[in-house]
Amino acid sequence: MPFRPAIVTALLLAAITALPLRAVDAAELVMVERPGCHWCQLWHEEIGASYDKTDEARRAPLRRVRIGDLPPDIDFATTPVYTPTFVLVEDGAELGRIEGYPGEHFFWPMLTQLLDAHPEATGEGS
């Protein structure tokens, strides 16, 4: 059978479009932090190392930004003051936030509540 580039191309395109991709406008969790922030460091030690492996990360992948260099693509409801501040963002707009880090036992329920309040952006709530 002769090599047919059009068939190979069509098969590759079909395979690529069948892959589960995250929507471009899906939510993300933006962590606003400051160098030397004790609470930011504690979050990284207690949560950060495993966050990417959680259902919460699937619903809202983490994006880290510095408080002194806030990205122009995010329309914060108010300028973050405290670090860390965790801002749930979709299409560049803030949906909600957690200010400060209350410790791992309180962080997870607070994050779940925030994600569940916006199921259209983060997937099904519990």
Side-chain angles (χ1 to χ4, degrees):
M1 181 172 176
F3 178 71
R4 299 187 182 195
I7 292 174
V8 172
T9 301
L11 288 173
L12 285 172
L13 287 174
I16 289 171
T17 57
L19 293 173
L21 297 176
R22 185 161 180 81
V24 173
D25 63 350
E28 65 181 343
L29 185 65
V30 176
M31 179 182 184
V32 179
E33 57 190 328
R34 170 188 334 265
C37 168
H38 167 75
W39 295 104
C40 300
Q41 183 60 36
L42 189 59
W43 183 89
H44 285 293
E45 291 170 8
E46 295 180 349
I47 307 287
S50 61
Y51 183 81
D52 287 345
K53 301 174 187 114
T54 65
D55 288 337
E56 291 82 1
R58 180 187 50 77
R59 295 175 67 188
L62 184 68
R63 175 179 172 191
R64 297 170 54 193
V65 302
R66 289 186 175 207
I67 196 163
D69 190 24
L70 295 175
D73 65 324
I74 299 175
D75 183 20
F76 292 99
T78 60
T79 302
V81 175
Y82 304 105
T83 59
T85 294
F86 301 90
V87 183
L88 184 62
V89 175
E90 182 186 31
D91 291 332
E94 178 175 335
L95 300 176
R97 68 171 63 185
I98 299 169
E99 291 183 321
Y101 175 58
E104 64 182 313
H105 298 295
F106 292 101
F107 178 78
W108 289 115
M110 291 172 72
L111 179 58
T112 298
Q113 183 178 18
L114 179 59
L115 297 175
D116 287 352
H118 303 280
E120 71 288 349
T122 64
E124 305 94 39
S126 322

